[in-house]
Amino acid sequence: MTGLGKLADRETDAALGGAFAKGSTAHTHPADDIALSDDEKHPRALSDSKTKKPKDKDIKPDAVTLDIQKRSEKYQRGTPAKQKGKEKARSKTAQAKLTHARNQRDAAVLEAARSEALLTEESGFMEAEHMERTYKVTQKDLASHVDISSAAKIFDLSLPDFGPYSLSYTPNGRHMLIGGRKGHIACMNWRSGKLGCELHLRETVRDVCWLHNDQLFAVAQKKHAFIYDHTGAEVHCLQKHI
C-alpha cells in the first residue's frame, strides 16, 4: 500500500503541474486574445504629445511688443553684414565674435526702444506769434515760463570785445567751449562755473569743437586746424587738411 500510495501522489502532482503550466502559458501572451492600441502600448509618448509646448513662432506678439518693435527701427545702427547663402566666417572664433557683436547690437536697440517707451514727457518748443521773431526772445523772458530746475541753469556771459562767438558742448552737456572770431578761446564747466582754460590766439578763429570728451578740442584758425588739450596746450596741427 505504501508503494501504491506514493505512485498515486506522483501522478497527481504531475497532473496539477501540467495544469499550472498551461495556465501560465495562456497568460503570457495576452495579445492572442485582446489587441491593444498604439496609445495603450506607449502611454508615455501620448502624455508627452499632449503636454507639448507651443513654439515661439506660433505665439502672436501683444500690443506692447509690437510698439517696442516699431520704436526700435529708428535705433538701428547701420545695416548688418549680409552673408551669401550659408556662407559663414572662416573660423569658429570669428563666427562667435560676429554673433556676440550682433547680439549686443540687438540688445542695445531693444533697450533704447524700451527706455523711450518709459519717457512720457514731450520735448518743449517755442511758438512765435504773428511777426514776432524767436531770436529776439531773451533768457529773462523764458525764465518765468519754465520750471525751477530749467530756470536755475540760466546764466549770462558778457563778452563784447572778441565776438562773434562759436559755441560747442561736450556729449554729456557738462562742459562748454567758446571761440571768438578775434582769437579768444575758453572752456568751462558751465554748471559749476569753473573755468578750464582761456587762450588769446591773436588770429582769426573760424570755429571750435569738442572731440570725443572734455580732454581735447579742435580750433579752426586762420590757416590750419589745431588741437588743444583741456589745459590749453597745443597737441597737434593739421597742416595738410583743408
Side-chain angles (χ1 to χ4, degrees):
M1 294 296 292
T2 304
L4 293 174
K6 291 182 179 180
L7 181 61
D9 293 339
R10 289 177 183 177
E11 292 177 356
T12 304
D13 294 340
L16 292 173
F20 284 125
K22 291 180 180 180
S24 62
T25 304
H27 288 287
T28 54
H29 299 283
D32 297 339
D33 300 330
I34 302 173
L36 298 178
S37 61
D38 295 337
D39 295 340
E40 293 176 346
K41 292 179 182 180
H42 306 283
R44 185 175 180 181
L46 179 62
S47 61
D48 293 343
S49 62
K50 291 182 179 179
T51 59
K52 189 176 181 180
K53 297 181 179 180
K55 297 181 179 180
D56 295 338
K57 296 180 180 179
D58 300 335
I59 301 175
K60 295 183 180 180
D62 53 2
V64 177
T65 305
L66 292 175
D67 183 59
I68 292 177
Q69 291 177 356
K70 185 177 180 180
R71 291 174 184 269
S72 62
E73 294 178 357
K74 64 180 179 181
Y75 292 104
Q76 295 290 341
R77 301 175 182 177
T79 55
K82 296 181 179 180
Q83 297 181 352
K84 297 180 180 179
K86 297 183 179 179
E87 183 181 358
K88 296 183 178 179
R90 295 184 178 181
S91 63
K92 293 183 178 179
T93 305
Q95 183 64 31
K97 290 181 178 180
L98 290 175
T99 304
H100 180 66
R102 189 181 301 109
N103 294 337
Q104 281 188 329
R105 183 182 64 250
D106 296 341
V109 170
L110 186 60
E111 289 297 328
R114 288 177 176 174
S115 300
E116 182 186 355
L118 297 176
L119 298 176
T120 57
E121 298 181 358
E122 297 181 357
S123 57
F125 62 94
M126 184 171 56
E127 184 177 357
E129 296 181 356
H130 304 293
M131 300 300 293
E132 186 180 6
R133 296 292 181 265
T134 56
Y135 61 84
K136 292 184 178 180
V137 179
T138 62
Q139 294 189 17
K140 293 181 180 180
D141 299 333
L142 295 175
S144 58
H145 299 282
V146 297
D147 57 284
I148 298 176
S149 60
S150 299
K153 298 177 182 179
I154 295 176
F155 66 96
D156 187 17
L157 291 177
S158 180
L159 301 170
D161 298 330
F162 302 100
Y165 280 85
S166 300
L167 188 67
S168 177
Y169 285 91
T170 54
N172 60 5
R174 184 176 294 275
H175 295 269
M176 181 180 68
L177 175 67
I178 59 174
R181 182 59 63 97
K182 296 181 182 180
H184 179 219
I185 303 293
C187 65
M188 60 178 294
N189 186 333
W190 67 270
R191 291 188 176 181
S192 62
K194 183 179 179 181
L195 181 65
C197 69
E198 188 174 10
L199 304 174
H200 290 275
L201 302 177
R202 297 183 180 180
E203 69 174 12
T204 303
V205 172
R206 306 184 188 279
D207 197 7
V208 294
C209 180
W210 286 106
L211 298 185
H212 59 289
N213 55 21
D214 60 339
Q215 300 298 312
L216 297 171
F217 61 88
V219 180
Q221 297 178 206
K222 185 175 182 180
K223 293 183 178 181
H224 307 295
F226 291 81
I227 297 177
Y228 300 89
D229 64 1
H230 66 285
T231 63
E234 181 180 333
V235 177
H236 187 59
C237 176
L238 304 175
Q239 297 182 356
K240 296 182 180 181
H241 292 71
I242 299 177

